[in-house]
Each structure stands twice: as C-alpha cells, then as structure tokens.
C-alpha cells in the first residue's frame, strides 16, 4: 500500500547552524513517538552532510531540493545526484514550481534529472501544479498532465513506482491561500487516474501523492482526510519543529 508522507521543503532558509538546530529539535520531538507517516526534511545542499547523521533514519528521511541534470564534470556551481546520495540523503525534490519559474527548468530537463536521481538510488519527490491563470482558464488538468507525462511517463513501471508526486498549485504556495480539500482531492484523483491509464491501477494505487501550498497544522487534517491525498510537502510551516510536528500529527 502507498505510504503517507509529510515532507518539509526548507527552500533557501536557515544557515548551517540554524539548520542543524532545527534537525536536532525535530529529531528530539519525534524521539518518543511513532509517527503515523513517513517524515522527510529536504534541506539546502550544504546542510545535507551535517543533518543526515543527526537524525534517526528510522524516523526522518533527508532529501535535497534539487540536483543537476548532468552526471559530473565542468558544470560550475552544480551539485550532482551522486553527490546528494553520498551525503546519506535518500530523497530529492524535482520540478518545484520555483525551479521551473525562476531557473527555467523544462519538462525535458526534469526528465533527465529524474533519471539521474533514480540511477543514484534517490527517491524523487516530483512536483506538478498549475499557475492561477491556468486554473482560471480551466486548464489545470491539461497542464498537470503535460508535466507528468513529459517528465515521467517514459519511465518503466518499475522506475515510476519509486516516485513520489507532489501536487502544488502555484497560486497556493507561500500565499496563505490553500486549495480547498475538494480542489485538492479532485486534482489528486485526476493524477491517480492518469497514472492508472499509463501504468495500471496497482501502480497508481501504490503512488503517494502529496499536497503542497500553504499547508499548516490547522488545515492539514482536512486535506489529508481526502482519499487521494497521502500527505503534504510543506514550505513555511516546516521551518519550526512545533509547526511541522503539528502537521505530522494530522495523521494521528
Ligand atoms: P508553503 O507551504 O510555504 O506554501 O510552500 C509550499 C511549497 O512550495 C513546498 O514545496
């Protein structure tokens, strides 16, 4: 069966010292608990090697927020999937809307990144989502389908089964404007149907599909109660251990 997952995306926040403190605090907060979901923290690259040994791997997975679309070589400033994996990290966020919008990541580039992540044993948390203009034009399904099919649907069923999907409507990210539970469920069901059409019902039923966009402790329970919402990808509310724990507790 598919897993419930609460994953944090720290984005470009926290110095190394602050990140270490947050990871330690979260580890302590979860020390005497058995969360009813997998917990993941995705941190800036420079935190990974310091944070992975600090957390209990049975309770907290660590991931990067991106990786390069090249294996290795003369690509100044880039960080490869192999380097991410060498820190002990197990996950990598790919296709975040901020990467698509500000760093011009394309569907084709993302297909390459997904391949490299899988080849290096990382679990991609692959983000899809429409901008407000698309939703207002009723094009959200079309846009999300193109993002999924263009970057993922050339994978074998075996490889696709290793991927976690995150639906993050761009208009809900960092805006305080959350998708309603009904809007989230509708899109998650659409995504699951698209996966079923391509890979069959069993693969679709086993794929975790997370919701992201102004998710917080006060709305997580309602969002996660939907049959096709298997957890969340959390930005702002992952930057304080207590806030993040409040979202993890939505699964209790
Ligand atoms: P916020 O939770 O801050 O809206 O960010 C969501 C997000 O982009 C997670 O990847």
């Amino acid at each position: 069966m598919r897993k419930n997952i609460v994953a944090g995306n720290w984005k470009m926040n926290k110095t190394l010292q602050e990140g270490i403190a947050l990871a330690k605090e979260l580890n302590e907060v979860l020390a005497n608990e058995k969360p009813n979901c997998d917990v993941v923290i995705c941190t800036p690259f420079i935190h990974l090697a310091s944070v992975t040994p600090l957390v209990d791997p049975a309770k907290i997975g660590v991931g990067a927020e991106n990786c390069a679309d090249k294996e290795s070589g003369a690509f100044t400033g880039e960080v490869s999937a192999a380097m991410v994996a060498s820190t002990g990290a197990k996950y990598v966020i790919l296709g975040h809307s901020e990467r698509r919008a500000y760093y011009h990541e394309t569907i084709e580039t993302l297909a390459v990144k997904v391949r490299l992540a899988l080849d290096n044993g990382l679990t991609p948390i692959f983000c899809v989502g429409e901008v407000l203009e698309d939703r207002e034009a009723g094009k959200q399904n079309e846009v999300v389908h193109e993002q999924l099919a263009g970057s993922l649907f050339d994978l074998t069923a075996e490889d696709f089964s290793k991927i976690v999907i995150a639906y993050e409507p761009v208009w809900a990210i960092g805006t305080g404007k959350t998708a309603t539970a009904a809007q989230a469920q509708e899109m998650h069901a659409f995504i699951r149907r698209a996966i079923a059409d391509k890979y069959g019902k069993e693969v679709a039923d086993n794929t975790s599909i997370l919701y992201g966009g102004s998710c917080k402790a006060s709305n997580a329970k309602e969002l996660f109660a939907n049959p096709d919402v298997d957890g969340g990808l959390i930005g702002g509310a992952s930057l304080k251990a207590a806030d993040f724990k409040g979202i993890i507790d939505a699964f209790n």
Side-chain angles (χ1 to χ4, degrees):
M1 252 327 266
R2 60 185 180 252
K3 291 176 179 168
N4 289 325
I5 303 171
V6 171
N9 173 8
W10 290 3
K11 307 193 179 183
M12 197 174 74
N13 293 295
K14 307 281 176 195
T15 63
L16 178 60
Q17 290 74 19
E18 290 165 349
I20 287 173
L22 175 56
K24 275 189 182 160
E25 196 185 344
L26 188 64
N27 198 52
E28 274 159 30
V29 164
L30 295 178
N32 299 315
E33 308 234 353
K34 202 174 171 326
N36 276 329
C37 59
D38 285 7
V39 176
V40 178
I41 50 176
C42 296
T43 80
F45 291 128
I46 64 140
H47 297 59
L48 294 173
S50 303
V51 160
T52 44
L54 289 179
V55 297
D56 176 355
K59 291 207 178 139
I60 304 177
V62 177
E65 301 171 12
N66 179 31
C67 70
D69 62 340
K70 302 285 192 296
E71 233 173 280
S72 66
F75 302 101
T76 302
E78 289 293 292
V79 176
S80 71
M83 292 172 184
V84 170
S86 73
T87 67
K90 303 284 182 219
Y91 295 83
V92 60
I93 296 173
L94 292 174
H96 194 280
S97 62
E98 288 149 19
R99 303 279 332 160
R100 293 179 193 261
Y102 306 145
Y103 302 97
H104 314 294
E105 294 196 356
T106 64
I107 280 173
E108 295 76 23
T109 312
L110 289 169
V112 175
K113 292 190 178 198
V114 168
R115 180 73 265 148
L116 287 166
L118 290 172
D119 287 348
N120 285 283
L122 297 171
T123 298
I125 301 175
F126 188 82
C127 304
V128 295
E130 80 285 359
V131 298
L132 186 60
E133 204 182 8
D134 294 329
R135 181 158 280 266
E136 284 174 348
K139 285 192 186 158
Q140 65 271 24
N141 289 3
E142 197 183 308
V143 168
V144 167
H145 194 278
E146 195 185 337
Q147 292 170 339
L148 280 174
S151 299
L152 302 180
F153 282 4
D154 283 337
L155 295 172
T156 62
E158 194 190 341
D159 278 343
F160 186 87
S161 305
K162 297 171 187 156
I163 302 224
V164 172
I165 305 289
Y167 169 57
E168 300 205 307
V170 180
W171 46 271
I173 296 177
T175 57
K177 196 174 165 186
T178 319
T180 63
Q183 283 171 323
Q185 168 56 26
E186 191 179 24
M187 180 57 86
H188 283 229
F190 171 77
I191 291 171
R192 204 176 301 285
R193 273 199 307 279
I195 297 169
D197 287 347
K198 173 69 190 169
Y199 292 108
K201 189 173 179 321
E202 196 184 333
V203 171
D205 283 345
N206 285 325
T207 302
S208 296
I209 308 176
L210 315 184
Y211 169 80
S214 298
C215 184
K216 40 191 183 281
S218 57
N219 58 26
K221 222 178 176 77
E222 194 190 352
L223 286 160
F224 299 172
N226 286 291
D228 287 298
V229 179
D230 308 310
L233 182 56
I234 318 299
S238 72
L239 297 174
K240 284 196 184 137
D243 293 349
F244 195 50
K245 172 69 166 39
I247 297 173
I248 294 165
D249 287 345
F251 278 117
N252 286 343

